[in-house]
Amino acid sequence: MRRYLVGGAVRDRLLGLPGGDRDWVVVGSTPAEMVLAGYLPVGKDFPVFLHAQTKEEHALARTERKTAPGYHGFVFHAAPDVTLEQDLARRDFTINAIAEAEDGTLVDPFGGARDLGARVLRHVSPAFAEDPVRILRAARFLARFAPLGFTIAPETLALMRDMVAAGEVDHLVPERVWQELKKALEMPRPSAAIALLRACGALAKLLPEVDALYGVPQRPEYHPEVDTGVHVQMVLDMAARLAPGDALVGFCALVHDLGKALTPKDKLPRHIGHEHSGVRPLRAVCARYKVPAEFAAVAEIVCREHLNVHRIDELRPDTVHELLSRCDAFRKPQRVKQLALACEADARGRLGREEDDYPPARRLLALHDAAAAVSAGHAVAKGLSGPAVGDWLREARIDAIRAARASL
């Protein structure tokens, strides 16, 4: 029995990045021998075990064979005669197909170390085309590694286009699409994921509402980048910069301008009312991918309210109060910060505006803090009850907003 460290742990060490989970491949063993050696079986589809002390995953070397469309249609074969090279050959990218023996020797049959040095994301073999999830994984890896200079290999992009044309992405289940999209939104350059999905044709299949934004012009005095799709990519990256690893804010950035794709051509480049027309396609995206309720709720708030936040200094105190109430901000105060971050990403996700200050975010937070400091307990202390509590609370919070604004 021989074991080898594989996958992300090897890749990230070679890149000089902090290590994450350590996964191992075991060659020359059987499930019975693993159990006798003290490993704990946990795999359902193929033999995977946990080390009794470290709890690190150990999988028996295996091959796989495509038997049906989609990513569930595989038959796995694990046996003592499966070699390490055969196991590595079934992996997605060369940079993930490097193994390290316990003495530190690298086993790299597909040139993964070379591609790490060249900063290239390249598929291991034509078998890549058998699993449509790998399109999503390519997008996620590029979102993570693009800041290091990584690009997609031309032949890998061509293969991904062929997969889309063959209808492979049609077999992806919504939960898996959302899982991979959410991970991409947590990465430092999520725009790279969206750009890659668009380049291979998958964006039009998976997120046609986002794909439709490309080529839609905006007023250049407000959007020097002009193209709405380009703007959304810039907003995504600004959101990742302002709220690193926050997929909720990233999702808000992705879908905040969907209404602009619905603007009649004779009205372009103006987009009057896009904040309201964008709600319907946003809800369609959330329903299609079973987006978590809080993600969907906050994204809708951002879509509907981002123009109000941009012009918060022009809003009357009672209008600010109504905005906060629509956000359910007094019961869920975290939403105000999420709204402020997404709106700042929108304002600064524009060509030449990346380093601009964005006072409306601070003002929104300050006005909410002032209003939230007034509670129903204050009304009860005044002897009020029933509907009178709500009436008093509304007026007192509006007064607090008015006083806070005067002090800003």
Side-chain angles (χ1 to χ4, degrees):
M1 182 178 104
R2 302 178 307 282
R3 66 174 194 158
Y4 298 85
L5 189 65
V6 292
V10 180
R11 177 199 66 223
D12 291 352
R13 183 183 67 76
L14 294 174
L15 284 171
L17 300 175
D21 294 337
R22 288 161 52 90
D23 297 322
W24 300 80
V25 160
V26 178
V27 177
S29 187
T30 66
E33 290 171 346
M34 294 293 288
V35 172
L36 283 174
Y39 289 86
L40 308 173
V42 294
K44 290 187 293 185
D45 298 325
F46 41 79
V48 178
F49 304 82
L50 295 184
H51 190 281
Q53 281 76 46
T54 67
K55 306 304 181 186
E56 292 174 347
E57 282 195 3
H58 289 64
L60 293 187
R62 65 184 188 271
T63 59
E64 58 190 33
R65 181 169 53 87
K66 181 82 166 177
T67 58
Y71 67 94
H72 285 305
F74 288 92
V75 171
F76 298 96
H77 171 68
D81 61 347
V82 176
T83 67
L84 176 63
E85 288 74 14
Q86 287 175 313
D87 182 275
L88 295 176
R90 67 177 177 78
R91 296 174 184 267
D92 48 11
F93 303 105
T94 61
I95 64 172
N96 295 331
I98 310 170
E100 182 179 318
E102 292 188 79
D103 64 1
T105 303
L106 291 183
V107 180
D108 182 18
F110 304 104
R114 179 192 61 231
D115 283 343
L116 283 175
R119 300 298 194 254
V120 172
L121 192 63
R122 189 192 317 275
H123 64 284
V124 170
S125 77
F128 180 95
E130 297 177 349
D131 185 356
V133 171
R134 289 176 168 176
I135 292 175
L136 301 175
R137 283 171 58 82
R140 170 161 61 90
F141 278 121
L142 210 56
R144 180 182 178 190
F145 292 126
L148 299 180
F150 274 80
T151 58
I152 192 82
E155 62 269 30
T156 301
L157 178 57
L159 184 58
M160 291 167 63
R161 286 174 175 154
D162 291 343
M163 293 169 67
V164 173
E168 276 290 328
V169 295
D170 300 333
H171 298 286
L172 289 168
V173 298
E175 293 84 356
R176 191 58 189 271
V177 174
W178 170 251
Q179 180 185 40
E180 293 294 331
L181 177 62
K182 179 176 178 290
K183 289 177 180 177
L185 293 171
E186 293 168 352
M187 297 301 162
R189 194 173 294 170
S191 69
I194 299 303
L196 179 57
L197 291 177
R198 182 166 183 260
C200 73
L203 191 65
K205 294 263 192 177
L206 300 173
L207 289 169
E209 300 86 353
V210 176
D211 189 68
L213 296 173
Y214 288 88
V216 176
Q218 303 164 105
R219 294 174 64 181
E221 63 268 37
Y222 298 114
H223 289 276
E225 69 285 352
V226 181
D227 189 294
T228 306
V230 173
H231 167 61
V232 167
Q233 288 187 195
M234 297 180 73
V235 176
L236 279 169
D237 290 347
M238 185 56 66
R241 174 177 164 185
L242 296 173
D246 192 328
L248 189 153
V249 174
F251 182 65
C252 293
L254 178 66
V255 297
H256 80 285
D257 263 351
L258 295 184
K260 289 183 176 178
L262 304 176
T263 300
K265 285 188 169 56
D266 62 336
K267 303 296 183 185
L268 297 173
R270 296 169 63 86
H271 294 278
I272 306 236
H274 75 276
E275 70 276 22
H276 300 297
S277 61
V279 171
R280 180 175 58 82
L282 166 57
R283 289 177 177 173
V285 171
C286 292
R288 184 185 315 135
Y289 294 118
K290 303 176 183 176
V291 173
E294 189 64 8
F295 276 69
V298 177
E300 187 166 324
I301 287 168
V302 172
C303 177
R304 189 182 64 232
E305 307 292 352
H306 65 279
L307 294 188
N308 285 329
V309 176
H310 291 337
R311 60 187 184 95
I312 195 165
D313 289 341
E314 302 171 24
L315 304 184
R316 299 190 309 269
D318 62 315
T319 306
V320 174
H321 179 269
E322 293 310 309
L323 187 161
L324 293 171
S325 296
R326 287 193 299 272
C327 299
D328 201 8
F330 301 114
R331 289 195 316 123
K332 299 180 177 180
Q334 74 278 6
R335 287 184 173 181
V336 182
K337 183 177 181 182
Q338 291 160 342
L339 173 60
L341 283 167
C343 289
E344 182 170 356
D346 177 36
R348 294 173 59 186
R350 310 181 190 204
L351 192 62
R353 310 282 173 81
E354 296 87 349
E355 304 307 322
D356 283 4
D357 189 25
Y358 184 68
R362 296 191 296 276
R363 288 174 187 154
L364 175 66
L365 294 170
L367 297 180
H368 171 255
D369 286 346
V374 181
S375 70
H378 294 106
V380 173
K382 291 177 177 294
L384 300 176
S385 61
V389 172
D391 294 340
W392 180 89
L393 192 59
R394 179 180 183 277
E395 294 304 319
R397 283 174 168 168
I398 291 171
D399 287 342
I401 290 169
R402 183 178 294 109
R405 169 172 281 168
S407 69
L408 288 175

